Amino acid sequence: MSDADYAIETTDAGASSTIPCEAGQIKKGGYIMIKGKPCKVLSISVSKTGKHGHAKCNFLAVDIFTGKKLEDMVPSTHGTTVPVVNKSDWEIIDIGEDDELTLMDEGGNQKVDVNLPTVPEGMGEKIREAWNGGENSVMVTVQSAVGIEQIVAYKTENN
């Protein structure tokens, strides 16, 4: 096979979107993967060591993208996974007819693969109203984890 047979479109460092972690090390306010979904931990209750010698951690967490509450119970010495969560601020340049956004960061980089949020209910319409057809400058916070990106907050900049 020659080099012409390979077409590499994009590159990344190949980093994992999750990190292994011992269940006993996860704290309230931290992140955990429950049923394949990235979640923020609301509360942790640890049961005593039982007949088989493992203390169990009972996690109550909320999905960071949908807001649904999820629960998981893991022995404290067993491994679980923690999602790598990133947040970045972007300015809205344009809002399309189908709620797709054109965003720009402070470095002038553009992002066009994000839509207005559907969760929580009505937030997308509030962002559209705040932007007011381009009259106002609106900054949005885009949260990304495990290959999903979604707007989680916004603020109107006063000109």
Side-chain angles (χ1 to χ4, degrees):
M1 296 189 85
S2 68
D3 288 339
D5 292 342
Y6 296 105
I8 299 174
E9 297 293 324
T10 60
T11 59
D12 65 11
S16 176
S17 58
T18 59
I19 300 169
C21 183
E22 197 174 87
Q25 300 298 313
I26 296 173
K27 304 289 181 231
K28 180 179 175 181
Y31 297 101
I32 186 172
M33 293 293 288
I34 298 178
K35 298 179 181 134
K37 307 241 184 276
C39 300
K40 185 169 189 159
V41 177
L42 298 175
S43 68
I44 304 167
S45 57
V46 182
S47 64
K48 292 181 183 167
T49 56
K51 183 165 72 172
H52 299 291
H54 288 291
K56 298 238 188 324
C57 295
N58 190 12
F59 295 99
L60 179 63
V62 64
D63 187 315
I64 62 175
F65 294 120
T66 65
K68 288 185 179 171
K69 284 190 178 180
L70 297 166
E71 209 168 341
D72 197 13
M73 190 174 278
V74 184
S76 63
T77 56
H78 286 204
T80 186
T81 52
V82 175
V84 177
V85 179
N86 293 313
K87 289 185 180 180
S88 55
D89 289 332
W90 299 80
E91 183 179 350
I92 296 178
I93 304 300
D94 187 36
I95 301 178
E97 292 297 316
D98 298 328
D99 290 345
E100 71 275 357
L101 300 176
T102 303
L103 306 173
M104 186 167 66
D105 68 0
E106 291 176 0
N109 302 315
Q110 285 200 354
K111 178 188 262 322
V112 293
D113 56 353
V114 177
N115 290 345
L116 282 173
T118 55
V119 176
E121 193 71 36
M123 185 176 174
E125 282 307 311
K126 288 180 184 172
I127 293 172
R128 189 184 283 276
E129 288 169 16
W131 188 62
N132 194 15
E135 293 292 318
N136 300 322
S137 174
V138 177
M139 297 293 288
V140 293
T141 302
V142 176
Q143 182 170 264
S144 61
V146 295
I148 304 169
E149 288 185 321
Q150 185 175 311
I151 293 171
V152 293
Y154 75 97
K155 62 180 181 260
T156 306
E157 299 280 314
N158 294 332
N159 294 336

